[in-house]
Amino acid sequence: MQPRLTFLNDMELDRIIDGAFEVLARVGVHIGSERVMDIVASQPGAQRDGERVTLNRDLVERCLKTCPAEIRLYRQDRDEPIVLAGDEVNFVAGSTVPYIYDPSSTGLREATSRDLVNHTKVIDRCDYIDLQSGSFVPSDVPKPIVSAYRYYLALLYSPKPMFSGAFGTDDIAVIWGVMSALAGGDRELSERPLALLCVNPSSPLGLTEVVAENAAFLAEKNFPMLMIPIPLAGGSSPVTLAGTLVQHTAENLATLVVSQTVRAGAPVIFGGGPSIMDMRKGTACQAASEAIMMGAAISQIAKRLNLPSSTNTGRADSKCVDYQAGEESGSALTSMALARINLIRGSGTLEYANVVSTEKLLIDNEICGMAKRLIRPIDTGDEALALDVIFERGTTTTGFLSSPHTLKWFKSEFFLPSDIIDRGQRREFEAQGSKDAFGRAQAGVQQILAEYEPRQIDTERKREADRIIAAYAKQHGMDQLPVTDIG
Amino acid sequence: MPIESDADVVEAVCELREDEVLAWVGEQLELRPPLEIADALAAGLEQLGARFADGRYFIPELVMGGEIFAKAIELLTPALEASGSVLKKHGTVVMGTVKGDLHDLGQNLVSVTLAAAGFEVINLGCDVAPERFVAEVERTGAQVVGLSALLTTTMQMQAEIVDALAAAGLRDRVRILIGGAVANQRWADEIGADAYGADAIDALDKVKALVGINT
Ligand code: B12
């Protein structure tokens, strides 16, 4: 049996999806771009009313039919794809935060380009984290260039596919240029995407100019687009989970209509970060139980609509890398894996996605590994059932350690965590300074950085990427970027 | 429980008994000067704010209390105007999320918190251009303007608005408060804002300090 976490039966799922269709037909969405509005409003089934447009069920269903059910992403250094479809589970490092966790000060400081580079070196070594994210928004470069520079640095320092987003309509073109240079051309990039980009609809039911334009841009390029509405129950959507899911689904569907009307067949991912607003503190709580419940529901809704899925759930709200952070990311990452979300974000993040800790990333990596083990079923085939082994060994005192069956199976049957997870003897624990998980992760980060070896990259392609990013930096008043070499 | 005293009305506002509060206002208008009634209502709102601050009350209750207060004041307004008395407000604050930024939940929360504490709040919503802030400060004579930004890329807009207010000759007239996930005290200093507020409660404290109310 495939282990699976679900919260909704078919009838309940239909009530939510039907609700979303009804919302789009009755109140529709706001579209902040005249150009995109014209494209959408000219479709049969669309009815424009000022800056809003209603979308009838036929139109939305027509658009759903043209969305691919599977998306493939590629590492720069491998031919086998990372697949977003069905029950596949992939983890993505948490992203786009201004602060890095710094236990020596107040718990945070503004992140720099160097932090981003170091963090990326660590992501590269996290075996269970499949996508990178250029996690920080560096404070040492001109603000308009931050997102393009993040793509540039991340893709130089790790071959893992990159996930993040543009901040505007200018930088998306520069991000595209950098990616295209590194992929070896526009066609190569569309055929073998080495990244994906998100657009975030504004709850409630709003596609701003940037969102609408960038959704159209990505569709024109036939490039994977992750849709991330973040309705916060009680704040920007109904207080109930079902009501928030209806609105969230409608926001995804509206964005997808933009994409499919610009180019039928453009790849889209049903994603988001529905959560709750904490009614005492007013914070955009990311690790609430309700975020887990809605995250699992996203997976079910996406599967019902035959779309790849993604969730923000996996982030922590704690300010430190402590028990709370472990509980939050631990239960969220595990639950989202069991819910079979295709792209699970959040590893490394703290303080509702305002802060990232490189040490936490390393600990979360182990959680991701354990979660990937959890979703592998309990094998009950003959060899795994091991009756013969029990017949033979169960009556002796030699035990099972020396059984060839043990030798053959132990590596595949058990998930073996790294030393970040302490399962050792007390003697060893004390000899290494009685460190807690954070202390061990600090040592782990130091070791990875010390062992780092620059990766080889096509010099022609790099030169072109360098040229694009340097020109963009210059345009915004910076002659020398903090980092342009791999090292 | 019928409202029989000013203490009762404080409790009624806190318990969000809208119909009773409004009925009481109607009755009291026959008996006392409107300013006295407004003071009693304000004490209720203040109590509600205190209960929120100490964790007994939640945001939706604070918001609802603010709305009941506003409706009650609306009932009082004709009488206030007729008697030529002015309601003493703590001051006027123009609030908004800066141009290019659509994160409006935080600034809405700050707005309702300030309103619930008795400030007149002009909430401009999100994606607000510098000219709009300048025009609203000019029009309302606000003592404080609050600028929210949650993106690294829109922080710069906070700086531009500080400059725009100066260019319009309003800098001496208005105190500038900034906030949002990426803002901090260092940025406030760098762009020449008067204060940084970390959250809604801090925003209230900072606004009070800026307009010279002791807390
Ligand atoms: C919800 C959300 C969205 C929603 C916003 C919907 C809406 N109606 O508001 C949507 C989905 C649209 C969105 C879009 C984007 N977002 Co967003 N978003 C968030 C999220 C998760 C929560 C924000 C929130 O509502 N918080 C709850 C409120 C109540 O808290 P608050 O806003 O912080 O406000 C409090 C204080 O800051 C303070 N305060 C706020 N304003 C003011 C003003 C004054 C004067 C004072 C004194 C105090 C004050 O008081 C408030 C109450 O306590 C944050 C994460 C985070 N940690 O903040 C990311 C976050 C802000 N977003 C981020 C990003 C990157 C984006 C996008 C660029 C993503 C993309 N590539 O498309 C777009 C940009 C859209 C745009 N042009 O604005 C980043 C910003 C990183 C950076 N360094 O710039 C964050 C930090 C998340 C992340 N790590 O990726 N987002």
Side-chain angles (χ1 to χ4, degrees), chain A residues 214-272:
Chain A
N214 285 358
F217 177 98
L218 293 169
E220 277 153 12
K221 303 280 191 196
N222 201 25
F223 200 72
M225 169 174 83
L226 168 54
M227 305 176 286
I228 314 186
I230 313 180
L232 297 171
S236 50
S237 64
V239 71
T240 49
L241 305 195
T244 294
L245 285 168
V246 167
Q247 186 185 308
H248 172 266
T249 302
E251 289 162 347
N252 264 287
L253 291 175
T255 317
L256 162 166
V257 166
V258 170
S259 155
Q260 300 305 304
T261 51
V262 169
R263 188 185 200 284
V268 298
I269 301 162
F270 187 96

Side-chain angles (χ1 to χ4, degrees), chain A residues 125-177:
Chain A
R125 288 279 298 275
C126 288
D127 289 343
Y128 315 110
I129 294 180
D130 309 278
L131 271 75
Q132 60 164 329
S133 63
S135 300
F136 301 105
V137 178
S139 57
D140 53 350
V141 294
K143 299 187 193 319
I145 76 163
V146 285
S147 55
Y149 189 48
R150 290 172 57 225
Y151 268 81
Y152 167 83
L153 283 182
L155 288 169
L156 282 192
Y157 273 84
S158 170
K160 288 186 181 182
M162 163 80 176
F163 158 77
S164 193
F167 280 74
T169 47
D170 292 343
D171 55 355
I172 197 166
V174 183
I175 293 174
W176 179 267

Side-chain angles (χ1 to χ4, degrees), chain A residues 248 270-272 274 294-303 309-311 341:
Chain A
H248 172 266
F270 187 96
M294 290 192 279
I298 288 184
S299 181
Q300 290 190 266
I301 295 167
K303 285 182 185 20
S309 58
S310 170
T311 176
I341 293 258

Side-chain angles (χ1 to χ4, degrees), chain A residues 95-96 166 200 202-203 282 352-353, chain B residues 100 102-104 106 148 150-152 197-198 200:
Chain A
S95 64
T96 347
N200 295 22
S202 272
S203 303
Y352 28 87
Chain B
L102 305 156
H103 297 86
D104 59 2
S148 181
L150 270 81
L151 298 172
T152 299

Side-chain angles (χ1 to χ4, degrees), chain A residues 99 110 137 143 167 208 279, chain B residues 58-59 102 152-153 184 186:
Chain A
Y99 297 105
E110 288 180 63
V137 178
K143 299 187 193 319
F167 280 74
T208 60
M279 290 303 180
Chain B
F58 296 85
I59 294 165
L102 305 156
T152 299
T153 44
N184 51 36
R186 191 183 62 73

